[in-house]
Structure formats: C-alpha cells, structure tokens
Amino acid sequence: MTADPLRIGILNLMHDKVDTQLRFTKVLSEGPYNVDVQYFYPQTHYTSRPVPDLVQKISQPLDLKQVATMDAFIITGAPIEQLTFEEITYLDEIHQLIDVLVANNIPQLYVCWGAMAAANYLYDIPKFQLPEKIFGVFHNYLRAQDPLLKGLPDGFLAPHARYAELDIDKIMEDSRLVINAVTKNNFLFSFRAREKNQYFLFSHLEYGKDALLKEYLRERNANPGVEYIKPQNYFRDPLHMKDPEFSWETTQRVFFDNWLHSVADHIATQQFVKE
C-alpha cells in the first residue's frame, strides 16, 4: 500500500458517462491501492454547444497542466468507432493529451476506441470497420508474457463490444509493439509498447454484469427499426435474453490489480532514479 493515493486521470468519452465513471471508480477503488480518480471531458467537444450540466457536475474540462501531475491516465472507449478519425472534432485535443502523457512518462491505459485513436496517432496503425460488431463474452488466448495478465489462464474470458478493429498485421510488423492476447478469431484483446508505459486494451474490462445488456438496449432504443446483434455467450437464458452472467469478473479484478501495481512500481522506480 502506498502512503499517498495513486492519482489517476480519466478522459471519459463514453455515452453512458455516469455508469462509466461508476464502473471505473469501482474497479480501481476496490484494488490493492488507495486511488484518487479525476474525470475529465474534452473541451473541444463542446465548442458549438453548451457543456451539459451533468457533464460539468461529474467531470472537469481537460487541463493539460493538471494531467502532467497525474500518476497514470486512462482514455476510455467511445461509441464513435464507425467514424473516421478525421470526423472526430476533439481529436486534436486527444493528441495534445497523449503528447503530455508521453513527454511526462505517465503510464497510459487506452481502452477500445481510445486504444484505436492512440495507436493510430503514436504508431500509425490503421483502423477498419468489421463486417459486424464483435459483441459478447469471448475466450482470449495469450500470445506473449504480460505483467498485466499475470495470474490469468490461457483462454480467459473478457467482454468485447466494438464495430472496428486495428490492422493486426501492422501491429505485428512494428518492432516497438507486442501483442499480448487475442480471441479465437484473432480479434485483439490487448497489445503494449515494448519500451514505453503504454497499454492498448480492446476489451471493455471495466464493464460490470449488466453493461453489455445496457449497451444493447441503448442502441436498439436509439434506432428501433434496426436489428442489432445481441451479446453472445452472455445470458444463461439467451433465447429470452435473461440472466446475464458476470463471467469475466475474475479477469477484471486480476487485470486492474496488476495495472495498479504496475503504476505503483513505476512511481517507485521514478522516485529511486531521482534519489
């Protein structure tokens, strides 16, 4: 246990902002370290409209000077993976954020669309649309030793929910990157930078038991005339979409405990170097 709390910043880009913050706060605060989590929103997302009251209430505008003081930083997913990067109005602000994280050697965890945007910016890895959404709970298989996956068996379960993917061949060709785990169908679970504290996670491991069901209902209710794929390998009663199973709970706990441990180790190493 560290004497001071780990200061973790999170840029929350998800649609369900309140639920997202509750999820991340839960998985981080229940870990082995005392944490102080600060949530941010991209200011340039609201240049042509007022910042919603709820967003202002639960988070603060992204402040790069404050980011530079953080012990670690997370950029969440976002329901915009079907758009090109050039269509994202706040992409420049995200690039500026990443630049600050890299310049200050702050451990970075990029999740789903956040991982796509960061890998594209940092390593020029292209994004492409999937024929259909990968949606549900799937087995994931180890491709390389990874401290954040220590304690998980080969074939561990994790939730996936996305319409796009990065070019896995381009990742494999880049000697600066190493793929840690993939699904049976070779969809990415995670990869990392070899020499930098950058982790690219494509599973929504922060999701709790009901999150996949909520995501399905949100999409369906937003476009009632569209037939959306249902989450796979998730319900005990899939025919009636009842009784979702939290089968990735162990994966969630192990991963985030390992990540927090890696952040604490990074801080200790930095302090030792300074001394």
Side-chain angles (χ1 to χ4, degrees):
M1 181 72 72
T2 57
D4 297 321
L6 300 178
R7 295 166 301 159
I8 298 173
I10 300 181
L11 185 67
N12 184 3
L13 304 175
M14 291 289 281
H15 184 274
D16 51 347
K17 295 190 183 304
V18 173
D19 280 353
T20 294
Q21 296 192 188
L22 290 172
R23 292 166 191 153
F24 273 108
T25 298
K26 181 177 187 295
V27 298
L28 294 173
S29 63
E30 291 183 352
Y33 297 92
N34 183 20
V35 298
D36 177 12
V37 185
Q38 178 62 60
Y39 292 94
F40 298 91
Y41 64 84
Q43 298 188 58
T44 50
H45 188 40
Y46 301 102
T47 52
S48 60
R49 60 190 173 106
V51 181
D53 290 341
L54 176 61
V55 172
Q56 294 187 66
K57 182 179 179 180
I58 65 174
S59 57
Q60 65 183 62
L62 185 63
D63 180 342
L64 296 181
K65 290 183 179 179
Q66 186 175 355
V67 167
T69 70
M70 294 289 173
D71 294 319
F73 206 93
I74 297 171
I75 297 182
T76 72
I80 52 176
E81 67 267 33
Q82 296 184 83
L83 301 176
T84 65
F85 291 126
E86 292 74 20
E87 293 177 89
I88 308 305
T89 58
Y90 50 87
L91 190 65
D92 285 346
E93 190 173 2
I94 289 179
H95 290 171
Q96 292 169 22
L97 166 60
I98 294 172
D99 288 341
V100 169
L101 297 174
V102 172
N104 290 276
N105 193 23
I106 296 170
Q108 303 141 52
L109 174 60
Y110 301 110
V111 182
C112 203
W113 183 86
M116 297 179 197
N120 179 261
Y121 178 58
L122 292 167
Y123 300 102
D124 200 28
I125 307 296
K127 174 174 72 76
F128 65 92
Q129 295 302 117
L130 293 170
E132 64 177 9
K133 184 179 186 180
I134 174 174
F135 193 33
V137 185
F138 302 94
H139 291 280
N140 299 267
Y141 299 92
L142 302 171
R143 292 272 292 267
Q145 293 296 318
D146 178 13
L148 300 195
L149 302 183
K150 182 180 179 181
L152 292 176
D154 200 27
F156 63 88
L157 291 169
H160 292 257
R162 62 186 182 274
Y163 288 95
E165 184 79 321
L166 292 185
D167 188 330
I168 195 169
D169 292 332
K170 290 291 185 182
I171 299 169
M172 294 174 63
E173 291 168 4
D174 195 320
S175 61
R176 299 169 294 178
L177 304 173
V178 57
I179 295 175
N180 305 120
V182 297
T183 70
K184 180 180 179 181
N185 293 327
N186 224 30
F187 291 116
L188 289 163
F189 171 82
S190 69
F191 67 89
R192 71 184 308 145
R194 293 183 187 273
E195 304 296 334
K196 296 181 182 291
N197 209 322
Q198 297 167 343
Y199 202 91
F200 305 85
L201 175 67
F202 291 82
S203 165
H204 276 285
L205 271 187
E206 81 279 7
Y207 274 10
K209 178 180 178 180
D210 297 327
L212 290 173
L213 175 58
K214 286 184 176 181
E215 180 169 331
Y216 169 78
L217 293 175
R218 174 178 62 80
E219 288 191 326
R220 190 191 66 179
N221 293 339
N223 299 282
V226 179
E227 185 65 30
Y228 285 97
I229 187 172
K230 299 174 182 178
Q232 303 173 57
N233 313 314
Y234 175 52
F235 300 104
R236 289 189 176 92
D237 181 2
L239 181 62
H240 300 97
M241 291 185 61
K242 291 183 178 179
D243 199 8
E245 187 176 6
F246 194 8
S247 56
W248 64 95
E249 184 174 14
T250 296
T251 304
Q252 179 188 87
R253 186 70 274 140
V254 169
F255 179 88
F256 282 104
D257 283 0
N258 286 341
W259 184 69
L260 290 170
H261 185 67
S262 74
V263 172
D265 279 353
H266 175 81
I267 295 170
T269 300
Q270 295 298 106
Q271 289 174 343
F272 177 79
V273 170
K274 290 178 182 178
E275 293 173 358

